[in-house]
Amino acid sequence: MTQPENIQSGSHKTILILASSPTDKARVRLGKEVQEIKKGLQRSKYKDEFTLEERWAVGPRDLHRALLDCNPQIVHFCGHASGENGLFLEDVSGKAQLVSTQALANLFKRFAERGLECVVLNACYTETQANEIAKHIDYVVAMNSAIGDNAAIQFAVGFYDELGAGWSYEDAYKGGCDEIALQGIPEEHTPVFKNFQKNSHASPSTSVFSEIARETYKKLKAFLKSRGRYVLSGLTPRFAHEGDLALVCEAMDEVLGRKVVFKALKLPDNNQKIHSNNEVEFQRFKEAVERGCKLSDEPNFMTIYDAHILESFDISIKENSVPYFVIQLIKGDSIRTHREHNTELQPREVRELILAIISSVVRIHNKGYCHGNIKPSNIMLRETPPDSVKLKNPLEKYEPFISPLHRYFSNQEELLSQLERRVENLENLDKLERKVKLNYILEDIAYSITPELFGPSQFDIDHKKTDQYMIGLLAYELLTNKLPCFLKEFDEDKFRDNPKEEFDILKGNLLDEDLFAFKDQTQLESVRDCPDSFKQAILKMISLEPSKRYNSLKDAGNVIERKYEYILAKESLARCLKKEDDFIDAFYDNFKHFTHNHEKFEAFFGSLKADEASWKNHRQVIKEAMLLLIAFHDQEEFSHAVEENIPQRQRILDENNILSRIAEKHVHFKKKEFQINQDDFKNFQRALICTICGPSHSKINNKSPFDEFCNLNKRGHTKKDIKDAW
């Protein structure tokens, strides 16, 4: 069955407070306002769901940089405005600098696409700005006239108290107005609320959920109350989401004291029409949960904690029961949300994420299971270290968790009919909900319409290779930031404008042309800092013919992991050899330090440095050893060694022979037998890495890394990357 987008996505919110009080304008108590907001959030029920960021004495450039740095869901401005002209920020001297209404609207428009949900303009005469900003931002709060200092502070208190208690933005707006009135200040009608979803002030908690979803929630809440363990957090967009077949809700497990997620199948009540496919959907839901339980205990798969599913749809209706299961709540975003709301990932970051996902899926393949539903919305990224840890690579903070609910479509008709029904349902949705649903339909078109399902009959479907194909699509999307849909006659923009008409065309092409409806992807668009080997691995994974993909997902992972590191190491050595003489001299000193057997070291080098010609010759020999080391690790025999299980000891001996061959090449060693062992090879490696990347402790005399990329962070490379690669 199709999985809806996960309500866990975007649960954590960043509030960016922008304070501006120009010296040539009336003084306002901004410090008091911010202090009260902090107090309210710190005492709130859901304080852990918010991060508060502050920027003071904000100028135009500060505003833009703050949005880039914090990528907030909520922006709160406090200060001065100039009616329809715009907001007053501060110039370099601290005096007022006007920022026009249109400039603000254009700026917020771009950040709406990155996750900005709500803008609060807590300043006098800001309704004009709110009207423009509300064309792009879902929720905007402003003031329709002058507002006093105390009233502005009380509004902020009420607004954030409501948000901290888990209520919607409109509830928070009403709570702010109520707080002004409760304090006896006659300005409760000054704040105004703008909702992009609807021109009316209908509450989001009722407008975005269908009648059947509200009925399902009511039944589920009553049933859980009778059992006395789980308490639902509320039917608001903050805690719930309605999918095509199921309602997803956050809840508290009061027995174990942890937050969980409920997924309940939507069922009609006794007064609603019961469709013939209800039993089919019920059985799919039941089978998906049963299969999911087999994966949910595997590492990096979300855990299913509990389930309540009766034998049949009819029994569920008669007993007024709601089928559901309870799953682990992952605090973080799905890959889909992360991609849409954050900056593009670097190739190295994509590689780390893809390798982690491959590792998890290979484990279930080894146990005889497949997934069949790998896509960005089904993989969550959980934040792992404490907030105080500052990491250079954003994805080092996250660990992927895959939804255990996998699925297989048995035939073309089953997949196309499900997609067709979802497209038809778009007509009943408002603008915002339609946009969200469209995104997930497009994702399923890209990831679920696989070549093997529509290819020739000789394509026996190997679900493990389908998993490989889907992970390849995911890598493609993360690298290019484009939907990986490879259907010849498909146009994403046209589909967004006319989904029903375009789906009919898509369906006809697939049924008429089979595999010829697909286009084979033979190249990746230019991706900065992405090694060709990584691109080629992805293209092989997404080959139209399954036989042209890797024999196994494990093979694909081996190639991606090994080849990428080889490229980094090779490029690193090339940079060092630009300063060849100094680099070799530094390596000599480090090798001497690591070689504890000084007698052997003297035998290896002897008095070469005393003779300029001999030392020049030996420099070349050392350089050749380094290049031979790179060549050894690039040889195709490595892959064969893994596949054919050549003993690890034999590969170690081959590595040692690199130095033996170099030793034999030099005339100094032809006069005596000289055996290189594993310790010598390890010392050679340690000295090389130390010279390139810098020492790991202070006893090494040469403390500066020769690879310049190990001194400064570069796009796509850091010292850690290069050291790990070596």
Side-chain angles (χ1 to χ4, degrees):
M1 58 176 286
T2 301
Q3 302 304 315
E5 56 272 32
N6 199 319
I7 189 58
Q8 298 171 57
S9 302
S11 61
H12 188 89
K13 302 204 182 290
T14 296
I15 302 169
L16 173 60
I17 295 180
L18 301 170
S20 177
S21 183
T23 55
D24 54 348
K25 294 292 177 183
R27 184 175 178 274
V28 286
R29 299 166 65 199
L30 304 185
K32 177 67 173 174
E33 182 175 337
V34 175
Q35 182 184 18
E36 292 297 331
I37 292 172
K38 282 183 179 178
K39 283 182 181 178
L41 289 175
Q42 286 169 357
R43 60 160 296 282
S44 69
K45 181 178 181 181
Y46 295 102
K47 60 184 178 182
D48 293 336
E49 300 296 331
F50 295 94
T51 297
L52 198 65
E53 297 282 352
E54 304 168 38
R55 298 293 187 272
W56 294 84
V58 173
R61 184 173 296 165
D62 302 322
L63 167 61
H64 188 201
R65 287 176 174 173
L67 290 169
L68 289 171
D69 292 344
C70 302
N71 196 30
Q73 284 70 55
I74 302 169
V75 168
H76 180 101
F77 173 79
C78 46
H80 294 277
S82 179
E84 63 184 19
N85 296 322
L87 299 179
F88 283 119
L89 301 183
E90 298 185 26
D91 64 15
V92 291
S93 65
K95 294 184 178 180
Q97 180 174 347
L98 185 67
V99 177
S100 73
T101 296
Q102 195 57 52
L104 289 168
N106 291 340
L107 180 65
F108 286 133
K109 177 183 178 181
R110 291 196 303 109
F111 281 89
E113 298 169 358
R114 303 175 186 180
L116 181 57
E117 301 170 350
C118 178
V119 174
V120 179
L121 302 175
N122 202 12
C124 305
Y125 301 106
T126 49
E127 186 172 13
T128 301
Q129 292 94 313
N131 288 334
E132 288 300 312
I133 294 169
K135 293 176 181 178
H136 316 295
I137 302 295
D138 291 347
Y139 308 102
V140 184
V141 176
M143 306 299 155
N144 60 19
S145 62
I147 186 167
D149 246 10
N150 196 22
I153 292 170
Q154 299 309 323
F155 177 81
V157 169
F159 185 90
Y160 289 102
D161 278 357
E162 293 268 343
L163 278 189
W167 295 102
S168 70
Y169 289 118
E170 186 170 3
D171 288 319
Y173 155 73
K174 292 176 179 177
C177 295
D178 289 343
E179 191 66 29
I180 294 174
L182 288 170
Q183 296 297 327
I185 305 171
E187 298 181 50
E188 69 271 20
H189 299 299
T190 301
V192 291
F193 181 75
K194 310 289 181 179
N195 186 349
F196 176 78
Q197 284 184 293
K198 292 185 179 293
N199 294 326
S200 69
H201 284 180
S203 169
S205 62
T206 59
S207 65
V208 298
F209 295 102
S210 66
E211 181 182 350
I212 190 172
R214 293 196 297 274
E215 190 64 33
T216 299
Y217 181 85
K218 189 185 300 183
K219 288 181 183 179
L220 181 62
K221 185 177 180 180
F223 179 75
L224 295 177
K225 186 176 180 180
S226 68
R227 298 187 73 184
R229 175 174 180 175
Y230 300 106
V231 177
L232 298 176
S233 298
L235 189 63
T236 68
R238 178 174 175 77
F239 299 114
H241 167 76
E242 181 180 2
D244 294 301
L245 299 179
L247 181 68
V248 183
C249 310
E250 186 178 307
M252 174 61 75
D253 181 344
E254 295 193 324
V255 173
L256 298 178
R258 65 184 176 190
K259 291 181 182 179
V260 296
V261 171
F262 269 73
K263 189 164 188 176
L265 183 66
K266 294 188 296 184
L267 295 178
D269 63 23
N270 294 327
N271 298 319
Q272 292 174 309
K273 183 179 178 181
I274 297 177
H275 299 285
S276 58
N277 63 351
N278 285 140
E279 181 65 39
V280 174
E281 291 172 353
F282 177 90
Q283 291 301 328
R284 282 181 185 162
F285 184 84
K286 183 178 179 182
E287 290 168 8
V289 176
E290 290 171 350
R291 291 197 305 264
C293 286
K294 297 175 181 177
L295 303 187
S296 74
D297 290 333
E298 295 297 322
N300 293 102
F301 281 85
M302 300 177 210
T303 303
I304 295 176
Y305 297 133
D306 194 3
H308 174 78
I309 304 175
L310 299 181
E311 287 302 312
S312 71
F313 169 77
D314 288 339
I315 295 175
S316 294
I317 291 294
K318 289 176 183 177
E319 297 192 10
N320 207 28
S321 171
V322 179
Y324 68 80
F325 66 92
V326 185
I327 197 167
Q328 178 183 10
L329 186 147
I330 305 297
K331 187 175 180 180
D333 290 332
S334 69
I335 292 180
R336 168 67 59 216
T337 304
H338 189 278
R339 189 182 79 77
E340 292 173 351
H341 293 172
N342 292 274
T343 56
E344 295 180 18
L345 303 178
Q346 299 304 314
R348 175 178 59 85
E349 297 166 344
V350 174
R351 170 183 170 272
E352 290 174 359
L353 187 55
I354 292 299
L355 284 173
I357 294 167
I358 286 176
S359 176
S360 300
V361 178
V362 165
R363 280 196 295 268
I364 68 169
H365 284 185
N366 291 340
K367 294 188 176 182
Y369 302 123
C370 298
H371 196 280
N373 200 20
I374 298 168
K375 57 185 180 180
S377 61
N378 274 350
I379 304 173
M380 300 293 296
L381 299 177
R382 182 174 72 178
E383 191 169 350
T384 49
D387 294 338
S388 59
V389 177
K390 301 294 183 183
L391 295 171
K392 295 172 184 174
N393 170 11
L395 276 181
E396 286 180 358
K397 293 176 62 178
Y398 296 101
E399 180 180 10
F401 277 78
I402 305 170
S403 168
L405 268 71
H406 49 309
R407 58 119 193 261
Y408 311 109
F409 286 105
S410 57
N411 54 61
Q412 304 168 355
E413 290 74 18
E414 182 185 0
L415 169 60
L416 292 175
S417 63
Q418 187 182 114
L419 287 171
E420 188 170 32
R421 186 174 68 251
R422 292 169 65 190
V423 170
E424 289 171 351
N425 289 339
L426 291 172
E427 296 179 2
N428 303 319
L429 304 176
D430 61 36
K431 182 178 178 181
L432 185 63
E433 192 71 1
R434 182 178 184 273
K435 178 182 175 182
V436 172
K437 287 287 195 291
L438 254 176
N439 288 339
Y440 286 89
I441 290 173
L442 283 165
E443 181 183 73
D444 271 343
I445 288 173
Y447 285 81
S448 298
I449 298 180
T450 60
E452 43 262 61
L453 196 60
F454 289 86
S457 57
Q458 63 262 29
F459 280 6
D460 292 329
I461 295 181
D462 180 344
H463 293 297
K464 291 182 180 180
K465 288 203 171 183
T466 302
D467 284 348
Q468 181 186 150
Y469 178 78
M470 290 179 169
I471 296 174
L473 293 181
L474 176 62
Y476 182 98
E477 180 174 355
L478 291 175
L479 283 175
T480 64
N481 213 29
K482 295 179 180 179
L483 188 74
C485 187
F486 304 133
L487 297 170
K488 289 179 181 176
E489 303 299 326
F490 183 78
D491 186 307
E492 181 181 341
D493 292 333
K494 287 183 179 179
F495 190 90
R496 289 184 182 277
D497 293 336
N498 299 293
K500 192 173 188 310
E501 180 181 330
E502 290 298 315
F503 183 79
D504 289 342
I505 295 173
L506 178 151
K507 180 179 177 181
N509 288 338
L510 283 168
L511 295 177
D512 292 343
E513 300 185 36
D514 292 332
L515 193 62
F516 294 104
F518 293 81
K519 52 187 175 184
D520 207 351
Q521 203 65 19
T522 56
Q523 62 179 4
L524 264 162
E525 290 90 339
S526 178
V527 180
R528 189 174 177 182
D529 295 326
C530 185
D532 287 339
S533 58
F534 188 22
K535 296 179 188 177
Q536 293 305 316
I538 294 167
L539 291 173
K540 187 174 176 68
M541 292 173 74
I542 61 175
S543 297
L544 293 187
E545 295 184 32
S547 62
K548 293 183 179 180
R549 299 171 197 163
Y550 289 101
N551 290 333
S552 70
L553 186 58
K554 183 179 180 180
D555 288 348
N558 286 339
V559 170
I560 292 171
E561 183 171 25
R562 191 73 178 187
K563 283 290 186 180
Y564 195 96
E565 291 174 344
Y566 161 73
I567 292 291
L568 289 185
K570 184 178 179 180
E571 291 174 349
S572 172
L573 182 59
R575 287 190 293 271
C576 293
L577 288 175
K578 289 179 181 178
K579 303 165 282 189
E580 184 176 320
D581 290 350
D582 291 340
F583 174 62
I584 298 297
D585 286 346
F587 167 77
Y588 170 86
D589 292 337
N590 288 332
F591 195 15
K592 183 176 181 180
H593 171 83
F594 285 114
T595 305
H596 301 295
N597 186 337
H598 293 290
E599 181 180 349
K600 177 176 279 192
F601 183 83
E602 289 301 320
F604 195 92
F605 286 100
S607 57
L608 287 172
K609 292 196 76 175
D611 183 277
E612 186 175 343
S614 297
W615 180 239
K616 183 178 180 180
N617 185 31
H618 202 74
R619 273 200 184 115
Q620 183 62 28
V621 172
I622 295 174
K623 177 183 174 181
E624 289 176 8
M626 295 174 181
L627 294 174
L628 189 59
L629 179 64
I630 289 287
F632 172 80
H633 283 279
D634 186 38
Q635 62 186 326
E636 289 298 320
E637 282 73 19
F638 172 80
S639 297
H640 298 317
V642 174
E643 293 172 10
E644 297 169 16
N645 297 314
I646 293 176
Q648 178 71 16
R649 183 173 180 275
Q650 180 60 47
R651 296 203 295 275
I652 291 172
L653 290 175
D654 288 342
E655 291 174 336
N656 295 344
N657 286 339
I658 290 172
L659 292 189
S660 297
R661 278 175 277 175
I662 295 299
E664 291 165 4
K665 184 176 179 181
H666 199 282
V667 67
H668 180 71
F669 302 114
K670 289 183 178 178
K671 299 175 182 178
K672 62 178 77 175
E673 289 189 10
F674 193 85
Q675 192 66 39
I676 301 293
N677 61 33
Q678 189 175 346
D679 287 338
D680 296 317
F681 182 71
K682 285 182 178 178
N683 290 334
F684 180 90
Q685 287 181 311
R686 292 169 67 193
L688 183 60
I689 294 171
C690 174
T691 311
I692 291 172
C693 303
S696 56
H697 55 79
S698 59
K699 292 182 180 180
I700 305 295
N701 294 326
N702 175 39
K703 294 184 174 60
S704 297
F706 265 80
D707 186 348
E708 61 191 30
F709 279 30
C710 290
N711 277 320
L712 299 171
N713 287 332
K714 298 280 185 179
R715 182 181 172 94
H717 302 287
T718 66
K719 178 175 179 176
K720 183 180 184 301
D721 302 333
I722 295 166
K723 192 169 184 178
D724 287 349
W726 276 105

